[in-house]
Amino acid sequence: INSMLSTLLVAEYFKPSLDFCSKVEAAWSSSSRIIDSWMDVFVEGAGWIKGTSQMMSFMAYGVGMLDLCNGKFPTSAPNATPTDSPMILTPSPSDEPTISPTETPSPPIACIDSPTKFLWDNRTLSCKLAGKKNKCSNALIQNHCPLKCIKCNDFKCLDSPLMFYTSKSDTFTCAALHGLSKKKRKKMCKKNSKVRKTCRQTCAYCTS
């Protein structure tokens, strides 16, 4: 009988319309039904001890069935799929870092030789010729020709101290340029590229 009760209970779990639990509750709510069942065991000749043992086992199992039907366990099959979709937590995007624009560095100032020829020991030399004749050991020529004499770090932004030619016959010096009025200096530096590249400090070659 215990196996039959188990089968019926499982059947109702998958098909609640069988209403097995209501029958269990009705059977075990009547004390007379329990006593009658007990006496039936004795009448069948099981004897007092054996009959009592069988009846106690039957009652314990029946009470267990009743507990199950009273709601300690579900009496209907759960839904195949959950009714609510699971909540998916998505992290909120963080603000993108702002990168401050950096100023583009200015290109380095080019080191240049004076394009003019200059007087040296009563001779006319150019920076190219001064390099060939090994004249770069002299600081005055280094100042006039910093690129040829590899002295850019020392003289590329300074005025040449030598007298130089602005034409075939006209000579000039940076000291003479410096003695002019500010307006005339500015005009000459702007118009005459030879003067601007020779008198580099006065004409602000490295800062203009």
Side-chain angles (χ1 to χ4, degrees):
I1 189 170
N2 291 348
S3 60
M4 181 183 68
L5 290 172
S6 300
T7 303
L8 289 173
L9 186 61
V10 171
E12 186 191 9
Y13 181 78
F14 291 100
K15 191 174 182 181
S17 62
L18 294 176
D19 199 19
F20 171 68
C21 281
S22 64
K23 296 178 178 61
V24 172
E25 185 177 1
W28 289 96
S29 63
S30 173
S31 59
S32 61
R33 291 286 301 277
I34 298 174
I35 294 172
D36 291 343
S37 298
W38 201 334
M39 293 303 295
D40 289 342
V41 175
F42 298 149
V43 171
E44 289 175 2
W48 173 261
I49 296 176
K50 185 177 180 181
T52 301
S53 175
Q54 290 178 354
M55 194 62 193
M56 292 299 291
S57 175
F58 173 66
M59 289 178 65
Y61 196 85
V63 171
M65 295 296 103
L66 187 60
D67 286 342
L68 289 173
C69 288
N70 284 339
K72 292 186 177 181
F73 295 92
T75 58
S76 60
N79 294 331
T81 56
T83 55
D84 296 330
S85 301
M87 182 181 295
I88 301 175
L89 299 178
T90 55
S92 57
S94 57
D95 295 335
E96 294 183 0
T98 56
I99 302 175
S100 301
T102 56
E103 294 182 0
T104 304
S106 301
I109 303 300
C111 181
I112 58 173
D113 291 333
S114 171
T116 63
K117 294 181 179 181
F118 57 93
L119 289 174
W120 185 256
D121 288 339
N122 296 321
R123 295 182 58 188
T124 301
L125 295 177
S126 65
C127 288
K128 184 177 180 180
L129 189 59
K132 289 183 178 181
K133 293 186 174 294
N134 299 320
K135 300 293 184 179
C136 279
S137 58
N138 189 282
L140 299 178
I141 295 179
Q142 292 172 4
N143 197 323
H144 196 84
C145 310
L147 181 60
K148 176 62 69 176
C149 297
I150 315 176
K151 289 293 181 178
C152 292
N153 291 338
D154 298 325
F155 301 113
K156 74 174 183 178
C157 294
L158 299 182
D159 291 343
S160 171
L162 300 178
M163 181 178 290
F164 57 91
Y165 288 91
T166 56
S167 65
K168 290 185 177 181
S169 57
D170 296 329
T171 59
F172 197 64
T173 63
C174 292
L177 175 67
H178 191 73
L180 299 175
S181 65
K182 184 178 180 179
K183 184 177 181 180
K184 289 183 177 181
R185 285 201 309 269
K186 187 175 181 179
K187 183 178 179 180
M188 182 169 285
C189 287
K190 185 177 180 180
K191 291 182 65 175
N192 195 317
S193 63
K194 291 182 178 181
V195 172
R196 183 171 63 253
K197 294 178 180 179
T198 304
C199 305
R200 296 177 289 270
Q201 184 175 2
T202 302
C203 291
Y205 168 78
C206 290
T207 57
S208 58

